[in-house]
Amino acid sequence: MDGRAELELKHLRCLVAIVDTGSFTDAAIELGVSQAAVSRTLLALERALGVRLLHRTSRTIYPTTAGVRVLARARVLLSGAEELVREAAAGHTRLRIGHAWSAFGRHTAEFQRRWRDRYPDVELQLIRHNTPTGGLAEGLCDLAVIRAPVDRRHWSHAVVGHERRYVALATDDPWARRRSIRLAEIPSRTLVLDRRTGTTTLDLWPEGARPAVEYIQEIDDWLAAIATGRCVGVTPHATTTQYRRDGISYRPLRDADPVPVHLIWRRHDPHPATHGAVALLAELYRERG
């Protein structure tokens, strides 16, 4: 067998302990093993690498030229291993939920409060990432809330609630004086759409009766286009609470189906807290309608 294949982290820890403590005796105390075990481990490391690593005299121990190089690399590898362990442990004590636009809308603050009360040992992080899966496909989160159709081939999902659609328009728009807008009225205006992560598509209207469209790729661009008065937007209720901006008003859209709100996660590697998040969010949507 190739000697390098026999190299283990315990060998590197032994070398570092000997050099840092200055003796085999103190290294044994630090590692919780016998002095003989320290000697055997160092010998195994030197055999695996094929070089002598330490000079020993009756009073001092210091690394050889090769030992200096190995020691430096050993510290890096041990640090990396410790970081790996911390990250793996944090995966069960931290839940990251991604979203493209609006998190949980009006339920966001209450979700965070109840989560902290029910699961104090699991840190909750909300991450905004402007992709169709809210950062899940990119590995940035453990769960994601999305309001667009779900690709069921790749993700497990649960519908936790539904949200009414609203029209976003400039505050000085004539429609802002009305209590609601009909779906059939939208084609008389220019509609601003985010075709990457948005929930609105032209399928809401029959062919031949669809609005003119201006496309954007980001929520801030969407709001800016609407604030000028040249466009209107159609969006779920969550946007109305998450993005209250000067120059923007929201009015209910009549005659349109509500938007389903999904939580999605990796089919074969769910976070242990997944079902707790699904249950809590569904609870909030039931309570608040």
Side-chain angles (χ1 to χ4, degrees):
M1 180 184 294
D2 188 342
R4 289 174 294 180
E6 300 173 2
L7 184 65
E8 299 179 27
L9 290 178
K10 69 176 183 180
H11 298 140
L12 304 181
R13 291 193 184 97
C14 180
L15 174 64
V16 170
I18 294 170
V19 173
D20 286 354
T21 63
S23 75
F24 280 61
T25 301
D26 291 339
I29 294 172
E30 180 171 308
L31 295 172
V33 298
S34 67
Q35 184 174 336
V38 170
S39 297
R40 288 194 300 269
T41 303
L42 176 65
L43 180 59
L45 176 59
E46 290 180 328
R47 286 176 175 172
L49 298 178
V51 292
R52 186 177 181 183
L53 299 175
L54 297 178
H55 289 300
R56 301 173 61 181
T57 69
S58 59
R59 295 185 177 182
T60 62
I61 296 175
Y62 59 94
T64 63
T65 301
V68 170
R69 293 194 299 269
V70 172
L71 183 64
R73 187 61 177 163
R75 293 188 190 278
V76 173
L77 292 172
L78 291 172
S79 176
E82 291 171 0
E83 180 65 22
L84 177 62
V85 171
R86 285 194 295 270
E87 288 184 1
H92 296 282
T93 60
R94 179 183 65 229
L95 177 66
R96 302 166 300 169
I97 302 181
H99 61 97
W101 274 35
S102 306
F104 312 129
R106 62 176 174 162
H107 307 304
T108 301
E110 184 62 20
F111 184 94
Q112 292 172 306
R113 282 193 290 267
R114 294 192 191 184
W115 185 269
R116 185 172 58 248
D117 291 340
R118 296 183 188 184
Y119 308 104
D121 297 330
V122 182
E123 177 191 0
L124 177 66
Q125 293 182 356
L126 299 183
I127 299 170
R128 179 169 169 251
H129 191 69
N130 194 42
T131 60
T133 63
L136 185 62
E138 292 74 21
L140 301 177
C141 56
D142 307 297
L143 292 169
V145 55
I146 65 170
R147 295 170 174 85
V150 174
D151 183 350
R152 302 188 184 192
R153 297 170 301 171
H154 296 100
W155 312 111
S156 292
H157 80 107
V159 177
V160 293
H162 292 79
E163 293 178 354
R164 187 176 185 180
R165 298 179 194 262
Y166 278 70
V167 179
L169 36 82
T171 53
D172 58 357
D173 190 293
W175 283 3
R177 296 193 292 268
R178 297 170 51 180
R179 296 181 63 181
S180 63
I181 311 297
R182 290 183 295 110
L183 184 64
E185 294 179 275
I186 301 299
S188 67
R189 307 291 297 272
T190 297
L191 182 68
V192 60
L193 293 181
D194 178 352
R195 55 183 160 190
R196 188 181 189 193
T197 60
T199 58
T200 303
T201 71
L202 292 177
D203 292 335
L204 284 173
W205 298 270
E207 288 190 38
R210 292 174 174 173
V213 174
E214 179 175 316
Y215 291 107
I216 53 86
Q217 295 186 351
E218 232 283 340
I219 179 63
D220 290 326
D221 296 335
W222 185 82
L223 293 167
I226 293 168
T228 65
R230 73 175 185 270
C231 301
V232 298
V234 173
T235 190
H237 182 265
T239 308
T240 72
T241 56
Q242 202 82 356
Y243 294 98
R244 295 175 178 173
R245 300 286 178 87
D246 290 340
I248 301 289
S249 294
Y250 297 97
R251 295 294 180 267
L253 179 64
R254 291 154 56 188
D255 313 321
D257 291 336
V259 177
V261 181
H262 304 261
L263 277 178
I264 64 172
W265 60 92
R266 297 176 189 87
R267 185 181 303 278
H268 302 297
D269 186 27
H271 189 284
T274 294
H275 296 295
V278 170
L280 177 53
L281 192 55
E283 174 185 310
L284 290 171
Y285 273 95
R286 285 195 303 270
E287 287 179 2
R288 300 186 176 191

